[in-house]
Amino acid sequence: MERIDRSPVKYAVHRDVLDELGLEEVAQKGTWSIKPTVGEKLKESLRCSVPSLKHILLTWIPILSWLPKYSFRENILGDVVSGCSVGIMHLPQGMAYALLASLRPVYGLYTSLFPVLVYVVFGTSRHVSIGTFAVISIMVGSVTERLAPDEAFYFNGTNGSLTVNIDARDAYRVQMACSVTLLSGIFQILLGVVRFGFVATYLSEPLVRGYTTGAACHVCVSQLKYLFGVKPARFTGPFSLIYVIGATIIIHFCGVREDYLIDVVGEIPSGLKAPRTPDVTFFSQLIGDAIAVAIVSYAITISLGKTFALKYGYKVDSNQELIAVGLSNTIGSFFQCYAVTASLSRSLVQESTGGNTQIAGVVSSLLMLIMVIRIGSLFEDLPKAVLSTIVFVNLKGMFRQFMDVPLLWKTNKVDLLVWLVTFISTVLFNLDLGLALSVGFSMLTFIFKTQLPHYSILGNVPSTDLYLDTEAFKQVKEIPGIKIFRSSATICFTNAELYLEALQQRSGLDVRKLQMEKKKRAKQEKMAKKEVKKSVIEIHKDLLDHPCNSTSSSKVSELNKEKNLSMHKDVAIFLTNTSSNGFGHVNSAYQYDATTSEIDSGCHGENNLTPISYEHEKDGRTCMSVTHSIILDISTTGFVDTVTVKMLKNIFGDFADVDVDIYLAGCQACVVEQLEKAAFFESIPKTRLFVTVHDAVLHILRKLGQTDIILDASCDTQM
């Protein structure tokens, strides 16, 4: 094992305390901009040159960048072996998954041929195997059976019984499948052109894995009729999976079916069909299904592609992958193919058998072409029950995803909740509605995370400039009189009010109550002044009435002192009462001092009130316990909106009313720029914004003349 040196490495930094103005001066902040303007960007995009044309071609047609550099000596053997292995898998999977789409098996073979060649040209992943996939097939099948049910193709047979016109039904279903494939491909291409590939980041891994596991349950249930040789009625919509299961059990075990003839694959025509334009008149009925197919097929492809890219150290372009899958679906729809995506099982085989590039896809396509043209008819008598078992076997990887449940229980219960909600909604409410509910719930969890961040009060780590959560670290101590507050999430309009509430709660300062108490205190002081003035007038009047009475003169002086002393005692009692009223620390910035009781009767107000702080003894030393300053650590905030700016301004103003100074620390440069544009610093000076929390602490202590406190910050820990 590698031995790790755990001896501490020390460093020392000597610099001035920096607020935002000091930082701009030291770092020489400029007013210039290195970003090109909109006009310059437009001009550059319209400029036609050989390098720019080459860049466009290599970006949009990736095969032009890697094929000229292809090394036959290093890669050809692995690609050929891998392509043959994957091609052999394409044959049974293509026919089996076509049954999931309620199409004839031959259309699964077409889908394993044309879209693969398109992806070789436009795709950026070297290891994924594009083609038929159980989840996408069942999604297409839900469309074809909903819009082309058996009931729509009944006709009277020779003996008067109702019979399904299978040829007409299957032909109509092919039209439906091609139409939804074309529309989903168009959506994917458009999203890729506008650089919308990041949409896949909103489909978290727990959501994708829960969705595919739920879809696997639908796949299994759809194969029960072939496995048991029964033909139950087709159910669609919510709870359809439960109805299918029930109908299959009743038909199989109650003897409803009279004949038990084995259902086989049927005719597989040799050769390829001429391309045909899908019927676009169905688009209005297929928009929702096409969007669902487009999102799911892309999400599966990009997740597998990034997994292999991370393992082998190359880059997968998410936007180009969106275009590649879209073109595979769009072009494939003209050749009677249905929607495709990357297959986990085939991709793993392609990687494990030595596949290095997309040439493996070319080899597998050539093998499929030979099968379709020459030997496809050999599989006409293959029982559909065999294809069903192939489906079951290939689903074992998705059913292993149930092991995510105990793992997520230990690691992240929110992700576990997303997984379970996705799985249950997919099973109960079908694939399209289940996906919508899952995405909605996943977004809600994200919103709740921003709405309920972790708020903490920070304290100093002894002998360092580090500040950590006082509840999480035992040796961390608060700086006396200073509250350092931090939120774990970006402050924005969704949580601004919660941020303010948490600030008051954690700091122990209820601003509204403090403002009310201050108003009451000011009112009481005003009344006391009036009483003193009234008493002085009465005494002077009495003196005028008895000018020769020396006793009266002495009485005036004594009453003056008593009235002044009484007034200040009343104020002091009032402040003492408010400090123990139960709503936390009160910043009584001014309190009566007995040493100033001998004041002139003509001088009243704040000039006669001495600023002091509450103190308590600890280990023979004195610590200030009143909060006079608050530092807002906003280093976790990545942007500010108008609500946040207004809230910060209110914090500065409201806390200033109760004699508490507010400072900002750790503000990112982009946030400072946004604050400048929002005119924040017109009312709040930049001297209230510091580079780090430690800079703000040192500034406050120096301002109060308590620079020695940083060496003894907690009254019991030497720094």
Side-chain angles (χ1 to χ4, degrees):
M1 291 180 61
E2 182 182 358
R3 186 174 180 180
I4 301 176
D5 185 8
R6 300 253 180 215
S7 58
V9 179
K10 298 183 178 180
Y11 72 96
V13 177
H14 299 279
R15 64 171 176 82
D16 296 334
V17 173
L18 292 177
D19 55 22
E20 184 61 26
L21 290 177
L23 177 64
E24 292 176 1
E25 182 179 352
V26 170
Q28 297 183 3
K29 180 180 179 180
T31 58
W32 64 89
S33 175
I34 60 175
K35 297 181 180 179
T37 63
V38 177
E40 291 173 342
K41 290 182 179 179
L42 183 60
K43 183 178 179 181
E44 182 65 25
S45 63
L46 296 177
R47 181 180 300 170
C48 184
S49 62
V50 175
S52 61
L53 181 61
K54 181 180 178 181
H55 175 73
I56 292 173
L57 287 176
L58 294 180
T59 301
W60 290 84
I61 311 177
I63 192 173
L64 297 179
S65 63
W66 62 264
L67 188 58
K69 304 175 184 177
Y70 184 79
S71 175
F72 280 86
R73 177 178 297 179
E74 296 179 3
N75 299 324
I76 191 62
L77 181 60
D79 286 340
V80 170
V81 173
S82 175
C84 292
S85 302
V86 173
I88 293 172
M89 290 184 67
H90 267 301
L91 176 65
Q93 286 187 358
M95 292 191 295
Y97 291 157
L99 298 180
L100 298 178
S102 297
L103 303 174
R104 290 182 177 179
V106 69
Y107 294 102
L109 300 182
Y110 298 154
T111 306
S112 301
L113 171 59
F114 297 103
V116 177
L117 292 174
V118 176
Y119 183 82
V120 168
V121 177
F122 297 99
T124 59
S125 176
R126 304 175 188 172
H127 296 90
V128 298
S129 174
I130 291 291
T132 58
F133 188 60
V135 175
I136 300 299
S137 299
I138 196 69
M139 294 179 75
V140 174
S142 66
V143 175
T144 57
E145 295 206 12
R146 185 183 78 243
L147 298 180
D150 291 343
E151 295 80 8
F153 299 92
Y154 281 142
F155 69 95
N156 292 325
T158 55
N159 57 357
S161 61
L162 292 177
T163 306
V164 177
N165 188 342
I166 295 178
D167 292 336
R169 181 202 65 183
D170 290 349
Y172 194 73
R173 286 180 176 179
V174 171
Q175 293 181 24
M176 295 294 103
C178 293
S179 296
V180 74
T181 300
L182 174 61
L183 188 56
S184 64
I186 292 174
F187 282 141
Q188 290 170 328
I189 293 173
L190 292 177
L191 292 176
V193 169
V194 298
R195 321 301 289 173
F196 209 67
F198 69 90
V199 70
T201 59
Y202 290 95
L203 302 177
S204 63
E205 184 179 2
L207 186 147
V208 173
R209 292 175 70 88
Y211 182 79
T212 53
T213 307
C217 295
H218 282 278
V219 172
C220 283
V221 171
S222 69
Q223 296 304 289
L224 292 179
K225 59 183 178 182
Y226 300 114
L227 200 62
F228 290 105
V230 298
K231 295 182 179 179
R234 174 74 177 183
F235 295 93
T236 59
F239 306 104
S240 60
L241 181 135
I242 298 175
Y243 296 140
V244 171
I245 292 177
T248 302
I249 293 174
I250 293 173
I251 291 175
H252 180 72
F253 290 103
C254 295
V256 175
R257 182 173 169 84
E258 297 178 356
D259 60 311
Y260 291 88
L261 298 176
I262 297 177
D263 198 5
V264 296
V265 169
E267 181 185 4
I268 299 181
S270 298
L272 301 174
K273 292 187 177 182
R276 185 175 62 181
T277 303
D279 194 341
V280 298
T281 59
F282 299 112
F283 278 6
S284 60
Q285 306 175 54
L286 300 173
I287 291 179
D289 300 288
I291 292 175
V293 170
I295 292 175
V296 174
S297 64
Y298 170 65
I300 295 173
T301 302
I302 194 64
S303 60
L304 281 176
K306 287 189 174 182
T307 300
F308 289 115
L310 183 63
K311 182 177 181 180
Y312 289 95
Y314 63 91
K315 183 180 179 181
V316 170
D317 188 337
S318 58
N319 292 301
Q320 183 60 29
E321 285 295 293
L322 195 54
I323 294 174
V325 177
L327 288 172
S328 298
N329 285 326
T330 301
I331 297 175
S333 66
F334 287 86
F335 293 91
Q336 287 79 55
C337 302
Y338 64 91
V340 297
T341 188
S343 167
L344 175 61
S345 59
R346 292 197 307 271
S347 298
L348 291 175
V349 169
Q350 180 168 320
E351 181 231 0
S352 62
T353 53
N356 298 309
T357 67
Q358 292 97 319
I359 294 296
V362 177
V363 175
S364 68
S365 297
L366 292 176
L367 189 60
M368 288 303 302
L369 180 62
I370 295 173
M371 291 179 180
V372 171
I373 294 177
R374 293 295 182 186
I375 63 177
S377 58
L378 298 178
F379 299 94
E380 291 180 352
D381 295 327
L382 182 68
K384 290 184 178 179
V386 174
L387 297 180
S388 296
T389 59
I390 293 174
V391 172
F392 279 111
V393 171
N394 283 283
L395 290 177
K396 64 180 181 180
M398 281 189 279
F399 282 122
R400 284 176 182 163
Q401 295 176 158
F402 278 112
M403 298 305 298
D404 292 349
V405 174
L407 178 62
L408 292 175
W409 174 262
K410 296 178 182 178
T411 57
N412 193 315
K413 291 183 174 56
V414 175
D415 285 346
L416 172 62
L417 193 60
V418 172
W419 196 100
L420 292 175
V421 169
T422 301
F423 173 77
I424 294 173
S425 60
T426 302
V427 168
L428 294 182
F429 301 107
N430 221 340
L431 297 175
D432 48 359
L433 183 57
L435 177 63
L437 293 174
S438 304
V439 173
F441 181 79
S442 180
M443 295 301 295
L444 281 177
T445 61
F446 175 77
I447 293 173
F448 284 136
K449 287 178 182 178
T450 59
Q451 285 288 91
L452 302 173
H454 177 69
Y455 299 107
S456 54
I457 293 295
L458 306 184
N460 180 256
V461 179
S463 303
T464 71
D465 60 349
L466 303 178
Y467 293 82
L468 304 177
D469 189 352
T470 55
E471 296 180 354
F473 298 91
K474 184 178 180 181
Q475 291 300 319
V476 170
K477 304 296 181 183
E478 291 188 52
I479 305 297
I482 302 176
K483 292 290 183 181
I484 307 170
F485 182 73
R486 181 172 66 190
S487 169
S488 63
T490 292
I491 312 170
C492 58
F493 71 96
T494 61
N495 58 17
E497 185 175 350
L498 296 175
Y499 181 88
L500 179 58
E501 293 176 359
L503 171 62
Q504 297 185 83
Q505 181 182 6
R506 290 304 187 96
S507 65
L509 296 171
D510 191 323
V511 176
R512 297 292 173 254
K513 289 186 177 180
L514 287 173
Q515 288 175 332
M516 291 176 61
E517 296 296 346
K518 186 175 182 180
K519 290 180 179 178
K520 291 181 180 179
R521 185 167 67 244
K523 184 177 180 180
Q524 185 171 348
E525 290 176 359
K526 186 176 181 180
M527 293 178 63
K529 291 178 182 179
K530 289 182 178 179
E531 291 294 328
V532 171
K533 185 177 181 180
K534 181 179 179 181
S535 300
V536 170
I537 292 174
E538 291 178 353
I539 294 172
H540 278 282
K541 183 179 179 181
D542 183 64
L543 183 61
L544 291 174
D545 293 339
H546 308 281
C548 297
N549 194 339
S550 60
T551 305
S552 296
S553 177
S554 175
K555 183 179 180 182
V556 168
S557 177
E558 291 177 1
L559 285 175
N560 252 333
K561 293 180 180 179
E562 288 179 1
K563 290 292 184 180
N564 278 288
L565 185 61
S566 175
M567 177 190 73
H568 292 296
K569 282 184 177 180
D570 289 341
V571 175
I573 292 172
F574 173 76
L575 295 177
T576 304
N577 290 337
T578 58
S579 68
S580 57
N581 61 4
F583 58 82
H585 297 291
V586 177
N587 189 51
S588 303
Y590 297 98
Q591 185 168 320
Y592 171 74
D593 189 345
T595 60
T596 62
S597 59
E598 298 290 335
I599 35 182
D600 182 67
S601 60
C603 298
H604 305 285
E606 290 185 352
N607 292 332
N608 295 324
L609 302 178
T610 303
I612 70 164
S613 297
Y614 292 104
E615 298 180 350
H616 67 276
E617 295 293 329
K618 186 175 182 181
D619 297 333
R621 288 171 292 167
T622 305
C623 273
M624 297 188 306
S625 63
V626 95
T627 299
H628 52 74
S629 302
I630 294 178
I631 301 173
L632 304 180
D633 181 0
I634 56 174
S635 57
T636 58
T637 297
F639 66 91
V640 290
D641 50 29
T642 55
V643 176
T644 304
V645 173
K646 184 177 180 180
M647 183 267 295
L648 290 175
K649 287 183 178 180
N650 290 338
I651 288 178
F652 274 87
D654 291 344
F655 279 87
D657 288 343
V658 294
D659 305 315
V660 176
D661 292 329
I662 301 294
Y663 300 88
L664 301 180
C667 193
Q668 299 182 42
C670 60
V671 176
V672 175
E673 183 178 354
Q674 293 169 1
L675 291 174
E676 289 175 338
K677 292 180 179 179
F680 177 78
F681 296 112
E682 291 182 2
S683 55
I684 309 299
K686 282 190 175 181
T687 54
R688 290 293 185 96
L689 174 58
F690 288 86
V691 178
T692 67
V693 171
H694 197 59
D695 285 275
V697 170
L698 292 176
H699 169 78
I700 295 170
L701 295 178
R702 181 178 60 184
K703 179 181 177 182
L704 298 176
Q706 299 164 351
T707 53
D708 58 324
I709 292 184
I710 197 61
L711 302 177
D712 188 11
S714 63
C715 293
D716 52 19
T717 302
Q718 288 289 339
M719 295 187 62

